Amino acid sequence: MKLSNNGKHKYLKFFGVLCIVFGVVNGIDAINFFNDPHAYININGVDRNDNEAKLLAFFFPLLMLIVGIFLNLVSFEGVSKANKARDNFWLPFRK
């Protein structure tokens, strides 16, 4: 399936919004875990109660939030330039 530049731009915006929503929802839970001294985080089958495990559980939603914000900041011109650069890169390999 070949998407136009406009379709790719809309797809990036939609995926960015999904990442932001996921990051916010899971980030709120991670903050609640961090503030609760009796909460346990299960890492590799081991229940851990230390702050390092709770902080580790907070990094993934934070990363998703940053990726979502970055994807929403990509402009239509940026998508067009990336497609043109990709086409120019693969040009010598095409017959």
Side-chain angles (χ1 to χ4, degrees), residues 17-91:
V17 169
L18 285 180
C19 287
I20 289 173
V21 169
F22 178 79
V24 167
V25 169
N26 288 334
I28 290 172
D29 286 340
I31 290 172
N32 289 336
F33 277 139
F34 196 73
N35 290 329
D36 185 9
H38 302 292
Y40 287 93
I41 305 282
N42 189 335
I43 298 177
N44 293 332
V46 178
D47 289 333
R48 293 177 55 181
N49 191 10
D50 56 322
N51 286 337
E52 292 170 355
K54 293 177 182 180
L55 197 58
L56 181 66
F58 180 69
F59 280 139
F60 184 68
L62 183 65
L63 179 67
M64 292 301 289
L65 187 63
I66 291 170
V67 166
I69 290 171
F70 175 74
L71 288 177
N72 278 313
L73 291 178
V74 173
S75 65
F76 179 77
E77 290 81 21
V79 173
S80 300
K81 287 179 184 178
N83 283 335
K84 187 175 181 181
R86 184 198 65 217
D87 291 340
N88 287 339
F89 175 78
W90 288 109
L91 188 64

Side-chain angles (χ1 to χ4, degrees), residues 2-23:
K2 190 121 175 151
L3 289 174
S4 65
N5 289 342
N6 191 25
K8 289 178 185 176
H9 184 251
K10 287 182 180 179
Y11 176 76
L12 286 177
K13 293 284 185 183
F14 175 73
F15 190 68
V17 169
L18 285 180
C19 287
I20 289 173
V21 169
F22 178 79

